Amino acid sequence: MAAEFESLNKTLEKNLPAEDLKEVKRILYGNPVSDLSLPAAAVSVAAELDFELAGYKIDAAAEELRQPRLVRIGAVQNKIVEPTNMPIAKQREGLHNRMKDIVKAAALSKVNVICFQECWTMPFAFCTREKQPWTEFAESAEDGPTVRLCQEWAKRYNMVIVSPILERDHTHQEILWNTAVIISNTGEVIGKTRKNHIPRVGDFNESTYYMEGDMGHQVFQTQFDTGRISWFLVSLQGSHYILVALHLCEPLWSIEARNAAIANSYFTVPINRVGTASILEENNPRSSYVAAPNGSRTPGLSRTRDGLLVTEVDLNLCRQVKDKWGFQMTSRLEMYAKSLSEAVQRNYEPPIVHEETTK
């Protein structure tokens, strides 16, 4: 049943009267977001090649001293293309070709920054406990075939591309990392970041495949403002939007990234996988969306189909929310820094206040 349930938003629209639907969406999604009109050519490509294309706008209030800072962000979710028993090269080629079509639609939609799903060039095999053949999908984050292809797209379409891959680190004994490569709209690789927190939940013990990240929490400055992959600590470093390429179960998926947006006063773009794979015991019906610093969010894409979510955001909203809610002003970082520094010491004793008993 879960795999057949395509979309919460479509189910609500199908079954609720207009007035009820408006109120339910307000409760679920926060302040209403506007529909973003997308070019007919992009809509035609999506229809012809069978993937969902949705567009929304998240506005900020007009200011006297700052012009709107508009960025169009594209979030891509997709199924695997070839069966998992096909040759590795064939599987990767199929995904490259599929992404080429979706990137074209993104370019037609005037997307500035696009992000693909976690390890998008392969099945999500990290719950199988098998190393072969899945580790063969790993490639260089500097000059591997996927990076070179994304460099071509970025330069051709004047678009920043965030490409999460399974990285083979040839410099350091060929160990593996879960890495996102950030490619400028000039076609140059700006840098990369590695997944810091590795899940160990049931069969998803990803630490047996790749290392915890060793690059900290970097923020990347592009021609379209500052962005980051994953959200820890980066609000302190001035990030305005966070691209989150993860693989997380419902109902946490619809909550976690939205909470991060609220707590840190930035936009989050959580992207998840859809479809099935014969190596997995269950389907992956989760959808991608965009959350804003004021707690609002877009409807999600389909939980069962490939899709491109295009969201035009006004980055001025980040500071407006900071001024309104004051989370950063009252965050008391110095107090937490002291407590955390003490907590990592071997001789740490929690400062528990015990009730005094009368003898």
Side-chain angles (χ1 to χ4, degrees), residues 70-356:
L70 304 180
V71 176
R72 284 201 182 185
I73 300 173
V76 181
Q77 64 181 38
N78 60 275
K79 307 173 186 177
I80 59 172
V81 176
E82 299 289 346
T84 55
N85 58 0
M86 294 290 286
I88 299 297
K90 187 72 173 178
Q91 292 185 56
R92 184 164 60 194
E93 180 185 11
L95 285 163
H96 282 178
N97 290 336
R98 182 56 164 166
M99 198 59 67
K100 176 181 68 176
D101 298 330
I102 297 177
V103 169
K104 179 181 178 180
L108 291 170
S109 302
K110 308 299 182 185
V111 165
N112 304 123
V113 181
I114 192 168
C115 183
F116 309 143
Q117 66 194 18
E118 183 178 15
C119 293
W120 72 272
T121 59
M122 62 179 292
F124 200 82
F126 307 122
C127 60
T128 64
R129 303 179 185 174
E130 300 169 355
K131 300 300 179 68
Q132 293 293 329
W134 316 120
T135 55
E136 293 186 49
F137 281 96
E139 55 183 286
S140 168
E142 282 69 43
D143 58 4
T146 299
V147 170
R148 293 198 302 270
L149 183 60
C150 288
Q151 287 179 292
E152 293 177 16
W153 294 341
K155 187 173 183 179
R156 180 186 310 158
Y157 296 125
N158 189 34
M159 184 189 303
V160 172
I161 294 179
V162 180
S163 176
I165 61 170
L166 184 63
E167 178 192 2
R168 174 77 68 183
D169 188 351
H170 295 286
T171 303
H172 299 97
Q173 303 181 62
E174 298 190 319
I175 61 177
L176 300 178
W177 308 91
N178 188 329
T179 299
V181 184
I182 294 81
I183 300 167
S184 168
N185 55 315
T186 64
E188 298 299 317
V189 174
I190 300 176
K192 62 186 178 183
T193 185
R194 290 164 172 163
K195 188 173 181 177
N196 281 309
H197 301 277
I198 310 301
R200 296 173 177 85
V201 182
D203 285 340
F204 280 88
N205 188 358
E206 298 178 30
S207 61
T208 62
Y209 292 89
Y210 42 77
M211 293 287 291
E212 285 87 354
D214 63 347
M215 306 188 77
H217 299 83
Q218 301 173 91
V219 173
F220 297 91
Q221 179 72 56
T222 74
Q223 292 189 32
F224 307 110
D225 219 282
T226 53
R228 160 69 180 145
I229 314 303
S230 194
W231 44 66
F232 301 101
L233 298 180
V234 295
S235 64
L236 304 181
Q237 300 166 16
S239 184
H240 293 111
Y241 54 86
I242 310 298
L243 302 161
V244 189
L246 289 177
H247 186 82
L248 194 65
C249 298
E250 295 173 329
L252 298 180
W253 182 246
S254 61
I255 300 170
E256 185 181 18
R258 195 175 181 186
N259 286 347
I262 295 168
N264 297 286
S265 300
Y266 50 38
F267 291 91
T268 58
V269 188
I271 304 167
N272 217 325
R273 288 174 172 256
V274 293
T276 62
S278 61
I279 58 172
L280 301 177
E281 295 180 358
E282 60 180 355
N283 300 330
N284 300 290
R286 297 141 197 161
S287 67
S288 306
Y289 63 95
V290 173
N294 63 0
S296 62
R297 55 156 286 183
T298 69
L301 290 177
S302 165
R303 298 164 74 253
T304 58
R305 296 180 61 204
D306 290 3
L308 168 63
L309 175 62
V310 179
T311 309
E312 183 177 276
V313 303
D314 186 344
L315 299 180
N316 283 353
L317 184 61
C318 298
R319 192 168 80 182
Q320 291 175 10
V321 170
K322 289 179 182 179
D323 290 347
K324 180 178 181 179
W325 288 349
F327 287 168
Q328 284 67 33
M329 183 172 59
T330 60
S331 60
R332 301 299 305 276
L333 296 179
E334 75 291 344
M335 180 178 67
Y336 290 108
K338 179 177 181 295
S339 297
L340 290 170
S341 296
E342 293 171 352
V344 298
Q345 302 303 315
R346 287 188 175 274
N347 60 349
Y348 175 69
E349 294 185 8
I352 300 173
V353 178
H354 297 277
E355 179 184 2
E356 292 187 7

